[in-house]
Amino acid sequence: MALNPFKYCSGLRVLGYFMILLVAAIIAVSYYAVVVLIWGPQLLHGGLRSVLSISIVTTFHLLLILLTWSYLMVVFQDPGSVPENWRPVMQEENMETSSMALSGYVDPESRNSTASPSEGGRQAVGYCSRCQNSKPPRCHHCSVCQRCVLKMDHHCVWVVNCVGAQNYKFFLLFLLYTFLETTLDTLVLLPHFIKFFGDAKSRSTSPGNLALTFLAFVINLAFALSLICFLIMHASLLSSNTTTIEVNEKKKAVRWKYDLGWKKNFEQVFGTKKVFWFFPLFSKEDLEKITALHGLDFPTRSDVEA
């Protein structure tokens, strides 16, 4: 019997639960250093110092709320899995679905299982031998989750979940708000980090508080520098409507069939309602109209064969 090394990948899920605890610990250390230890006490000083403290503490809490909200959505939101016994609808059924769309009504089951001709025609459908099921376009099998994931981008150990069609926006917001939070923490802790060396010699501050300030600064600086690289990478992928897995496939193509222009590419992930762009939510209208958010159908370029 052939050895299947991928079956051991499921053990990474155990590591993921420790990563969640690590995220909570980093937040706790940063909160204590920024709010409790340094800027919180200065709220009572009055004057410009107090105004600056209010601004920093308020911004810190706002970013923390958005960061935590986005993180929990990535962790608990299913990225999208293939419906059991899913199959692509045949051309005749596609024509029927198209005629219903023109009349203003599309049956939800038909919409979720076809690639509408008006959105680029039929698209390639694969088959997963491990799931024993058909695979919609852009769907890939995750060896960690042991299932096929719709529009899979990657499996993220930090969130113990795959990043796919239905939670990619939440993942991007998590990256963005974590970068902004860690950058803010780095900037407001920098003067105290510099002061750390003087306080360490004079012993004017307790060793425990000095260590926490130093640790919080180093951790936040490291995360801010690493996250900016991830943000740039995913911004590039978002602008071309490409997943991390599809990068090599895109390089081989003359024209990437899912690239509809940066504006439509952005809307395929974030929706069309601007008021929802900065929150890990989708409007009901976007969920009904943008089939890519469900992960089964994707519009393609008209000048590229699907």
Side-chain angles (χ1 to χ4, degrees):
M1 183 176 180
L3 179 65
N4 179 18
F6 292 105
K7 68 179 182 180
Y8 300 108
C9 291
S10 58
L12 291 175
R13 293 184 67 85
V14 178
L15 175 62
Y17 296 119
F18 288 105
M19 303 304 277
I20 291 179
L21 294 176
L22 180 59
V23 170
I26 293 171
I27 291 175
V29 169
S30 300
Y31 190 92
Y32 183 82
V34 175
V35 178
V36 178
L37 191 61
I38 297 175
W39 290 101
Q42 298 187 41
L43 293 172
L44 304 175
H45 288 183
L48 291 176
R49 195 72 175 174
S50 180
V51 173
L52 178 61
S53 299
I54 292 173
S55 301
I56 291 174
V57 171
T58 301
T59 305
F60 179 94
H61 281 91
L62 178 62
L63 289 174
L64 181 59
I65 291 171
L66 292 170
L67 181 162
T68 305
W69 185 9
S70 300
Y71 181 70
L72 292 176
M73 289 297 290
V74 181
V75 172
F76 294 108
Q77 175 64 48
D78 192 315
S81 56
V82 185
E84 189 176 355
N85 298 321
W86 178 87
R87 65 179 180 83
V89 174
M90 296 296 102
Q91 186 175 6
E92 294 79 8
E93 295 172 276
N94 268 334
M95 293 175 63
E96 181 181 348
T97 302
S98 180
S99 64
M100 287 190 292
L102 292 174
S103 65
Y105 172 79
V106 178
D107 180 75
E109 291 187 4
S110 298
R111 184 178 65 235
N112 291 337
S113 60
T114 70
S116 173
S118 62
E119 291 190 339
R122 296 182 64 193
Q123 299 173 41
V125 175
Y127 181 80
C128 179
S129 57
R130 281 175 279 183
C131 293
Q132 298 293 306
N133 199 11
S134 298
K135 285 173 29 176
R138 315 185 79 177
C139 176
H140 296 275
H141 186 90
C142 175
S143 298
V144 180
C145 297
Q146 297 294 317
R147 61 169 179 155
C148 285
V149 176
L150 301 178
K151 195 191 173 186
M152 180 178 173
D153 187 88
H154 69 288
H155 182 91
C156 183
V157 178
W158 286 90
V159 301
V160 205
N161 199 3
C162 272
V163 176
Q166 297 175 22
N167 66 355
Y168 185 48
K169 173 188 174 180
F170 310 151
F171 175 76
L172 294 181
L173 289 177
F174 168 60
L175 288 184
L176 174 63
Y177 291 132
T178 304
F179 169 72
L180 294 177
E181 182 74 279
T182 53
T183 301
L184 173 68
D185 293 351
T186 301
L187 293 176
V188 300
L189 289 172
L190 179 59
H192 301 274
F193 174 77
I194 296 173
K195 188 183 175 185
F196 163 84
F197 299 100
D199 289 345
K201 291 179 181 179
S202 63
R203 298 182 180 179
S204 58
T205 307
S206 69
N209 289 341
L210 283 173
L212 276 173
T213 303
F214 181 87
L215 180 64
F217 176 83
V218 172
I219 290 175
N220 280 281
L221 176 62
F223 270 88
L225 292 176
S226 60
L227 283 171
I228 194 171
C229 298
F230 279 104
L231 279 173
I232 292 172
M233 181 188 77
H234 279 283
S236 175
L237 294 174
L238 179 65
S239 66
S240 61
N241 201 352
T242 312
T243 65
T244 303
I245 293 177
E246 293 172 337
V247 169
N248 289 330
E249 183 183 348
K250 178 176 179 288
K251 288 179 180 178
K252 298 175 184 178
V254 178
R255 289 189 182 90
W256 184 237
K257 60 184 177 181
Y258 299 114
D259 189 353
L260 309 175
W262 69 267
K263 183 178 179 182
K264 288 187 176 180
N265 292 341
F266 181 87
E267 291 174 349
Q268 292 290 299
V269 175
F270 281 80
T272 59
K273 299 297 182 181
K274 296 180 181 179
V275 69
F276 288 92
W277 283 355
F278 299 100
F279 301 100
L281 295 169
F282 289 109
S283 69
K284 183 179 179 181
E285 184 179 346
D286 282 340
L287 288 174
E288 291 175 349
K289 291 185 177 180
I290 303 177
T291 57
L293 295 178
H294 298 280
L296 292 170
D297 306 332
F298 300 94
T300 56
R301 294 170 59 108
S302 58
D303 59 342
V304 177
E305 203 174 306

